Amino acid sequence: MWEYTDKVNDHFRNPRNVGAVENPDGDGLAGSLACGDALRLTFKLDGEKKICEAKFQTFGCASAIASSSALTEMLIGKTIEEAEEITNKEIIEYLGDLPKQKVHCSVMGREALEAAIYNYRTGKTLDRKLDGEVICHCFGATDKEIEKAVREHQLTSAEEVTDAIKAGGGCGQCIPEIEAIIGKVIGEEKTKTESKPKLTQLQKIKLIEETIDRQVRPILRRDGGDLELHDVDGDHVLVKFVGACVSCPVSSVTLKDVVESQLREAISEDIVVEAV
């Protein structure tokens, strides 16, 4: 018997927004019936391009139902850009926690959201092609998928990997390979930490400015855009888009995939960039 919070029990027993949105603007599917869990998420936008309706259909356990219900509540009232910032950790926090063995249910919610947003932007169904070598044949998890989960959630054991993405939860023959991937990631992260000297706040700000000037600004200016450094608070960096970037529909992608990734590579993996 799992120990669920009152909020998880509430969303399981009284799920919100069950069903499918009629003529949705976004429609995404995640999971697989073969693996025991599946989730379809649909949403519709209002005249202000904010999500006014979000519904789900799921096949899964109490945690899957509660996570899906919570996600729809979190989505309503948000823009697409705000919605794609929602993480599976925030879904868990919204519910007041989930048993560690059920974390994968919140991950499935995040994946369904990504698929629905992709469908909204392209009109196509997101094809989650296998990327890398399949390590866990029971659940179809690849080495790159496992490595991504280890990095994002700072996992340190095969058991935690199973809790997060199910890999290793079947026959168990892939456990040694999963442990090898964990060891590789931990070793790489340790090397990064040791190779980068600790910076004072003044040194960090100067390095951020130099990185933006040298590696970020030229990319943005090619498309008529630019950005300004607004503030730096520890590892929290605030920037302001100007020019063509202000109205660019993929500015949130640029923020993470260009600005944040460049600063993380040059300064620290803990850097978080937000637009003002």
Side-chain angles (χ1 to χ4, degrees), residues 46-63:
D46 61 18
E48 297 180 351
K49 295 297 182 182
K50 291 186 177 181
I51 297 173
C52 60
E53 189 177 7
K55 291 188 176 183
F56 77 94
Q57 294 169 305
T58 189
F59 178 86
C61 62
S63 296

Side-chain angles (χ1 to χ4, degrees), residues 147-191:
E147 183 174 330
K148 180 182 178 182
V150 171
R151 291 187 190 280
E152 288 186 353
H153 303 288
Q154 299 179 335
L155 309 178
T156 59
S157 70
E159 181 182 1
E160 290 177 340
V161 171
T162 301
D163 294 338
I165 60 172
K166 289 195 171 183
C171 67
Q173 292 184 6
C174 59
I175 296 296
E177 291 177 274
I178 293 175
E179 291 175 340
I181 292 172
I182 294 170
K184 172 193 167 188
V185 172
I186 291 176
E188 289 176 353
E189 294 300 321
K190 184 178 180 181
T191 299

Side-chain angles (χ1 to χ4, degrees), residues 7-216:
K7 202 161 187 181
V8 171
N9 280 319
D10 180 33
H11 275 271
F12 167 54
R13 294 191 173 95
N14 307 287
R16 285 66 153 172
N17 310 307
V18 177
V21 173
E22 187 175 351
N23 299 318
D25 291 309
D27 189 340
L29 182 66
S32 167
L33 290 177
C35 295
D37 295 303
L39 166 63
R40 181 191 179 200
L41 177 72
T42 52
F43 66 75
K44 184 179 284 292
L45 303 179
D46 61 18
E48 297 180 351
K49 295 297 182 182
K50 291 186 177 181
I51 297 173
C52 60
E53 189 177 7
K55 291 188 176 183
F56 77 94
Q57 294 169 305
T58 189
F59 178 86
C61 62
S63 296
I65 294 170
S67 295
S68 303
S69 173
L71 176 58
T72 59
E73 290 286 277
M74 296 169 71
L75 287 174
I76 294 173
K78 286 184 168 56
T79 64
I80 292 296
E81 291 71 25
E82 291 170 337
E84 63 187 345
E85 294 297 319
I86 295 175
T87 65
N88 73 291
K89 289 184 179 180
E90 289 174 330
I91 297 172
I92 293 173
E93 290 170 0
Y94 183 92
L95 290 168
D97 206 6
L98 280 175
K100 65 178 184 177
Q101 296 88 347
K102 295 295 181 178
V103 169
H104 64 86
C105 294
S106 64
V107 174
M108 184 172 66
R110 171 63 204 178
E111 290 178 347
L113 175 59
E114 289 175 354
I117 291 175
Y118 177 85
N119 174 252
Y120 162 71
R121 286 181 168 152
T122 68
K124 301 177 182 178
T125 299
L126 180 60
D127 182 11
R128 296 185 182 276
K129 295 181 179 177
L130 290 178
D131 184 17
E133 177 187 356
V134 175
I135 300 298
C136 177
H137 292 272
C138 295
F139 293 102
T142 67
D143 55 347
K144 291 188 178 181
E145 183 182 0
I146 294 168
E147 183 174 330
K148 180 182 178 182
V150 171
R151 291 187 190 280
E152 288 186 353
H153 303 288
Q154 299 179 335
L155 309 178
T156 59
S157 70
E159 181 182 1
E160 290 177 340
V161 171
T162 301
D163 294 338
I165 60 172
K166 289 195 171 183
C171 67
Q173 292 184 6
C174 59
I175 296 296
E177 291 177 274
I178 293 175
E179 291 175 340
I181 292 172
I182 294 170
K184 172 193 167 188
V185 172
I186 291 176
E188 289 176 353
E189 294 300 321
K190 184 178 180 181
T191 299
K192 283 182 184 178
T193 302
E194 292 175 346
S195 63
K196 290 183 179 179
K198 186 173 179 61
L199 301 172
T200 65
Q201 189 65 6
L202 186 60
Q203 289 173 325
K204 183 181 292 183
I205 293 172
K206 184 177 179 181
L207 187 54
I208 289 172
E209 291 174 334
E210 291 175 351
T211 303
I212 290 175
D213 284 337
R214 184 175 62 253
Q215 296 172 223
V216 177

